[in-house]
Amino acid sequence: MAINAHPLRLVWTKTALPHPQVPLQFALTVPKRRFPKASQRNRIRRQMREVYRLYKPNVYEVLGGQKEQFAWMLIYIGKEAVDYAAIEKALQKITKRFSQQLS
């Protein structure tokens, strides 16, 4: 399943993870086709990881009542780099839509 909130796209699935106490496995990617320079991709990746790190307690709170485990893949779909606040806002929208789809 997928959820879009520009500039991010979340692709997720239910899965069985090796550790039963961990509700979520997380990965992210930035396409080389849109950002040919590694420095651009690395900067966006760092921003995405930092937003997720800070927002992780809220994500786990949404998943707290769930018995299932999930795998998330965040894909950067924007055509140009955006600031930190835009990525943070997109992750908040994605988490809200994800919780709506679960209930």
Side-chain angles (χ1 to χ4, degrees):
M1 309 208 70
I3 301 170
N4 288 333
H6 189 74
L8 301 177
R9 176 182 174 94
L10 170 69
V11 179
W12 63 276
T13 185
K14 291 181 186 178
T15 186
L17 299 176
H19 301 288
Q21 68 274 17
V22 178
L24 183 68
Q25 189 173 36
F26 171 78
L28 56 89
T29 186
V30 179
K32 188 174 184 177
R33 177 177 285 179
R34 292 215 173 115
F35 298 97
K37 293 184 179 180
S39 60
Q40 294 173 321
R41 291 191 306 276
N42 291 339
R43 180 174 174 80
I44 295 169
R45 267 192 230 114
R46 280 196 305 272
Q47 288 177 331
M48 290 170 65
R49 273 196 302 265
E50 181 65 11
V51 166
Y52 176 74
R53 185 185 71 80
L54 294 175
Y55 202 67
K56 188 175 178 178
N58 297 339
V59 173
Y60 275 33
E61 183 179 314
V62 167
L63 297 174
Q66 299 295 320
K67 300 289 188 238
E68 298 98 2
Q69 294 175 314
F70 299 94
W72 276 23
M73 179 71 168
L74 271 180
I75 304 168
Y76 190 86
I77 59 172
K79 294 187 183 202
E80 56 190 38
V82 295
D83 62 342
Y84 177 87
I87 295 173
E88 184 177 22
K89 190 174 180 181
L91 186 62
Q92 290 172 354
K93 285 182 186 179
I94 284 173
T95 305
K96 184 177 179 182
R97 290 181 191 164
F98 181 76
S99 67
Q100 290 171 351
Q101 284 187 3
L102 289 181
S103 56

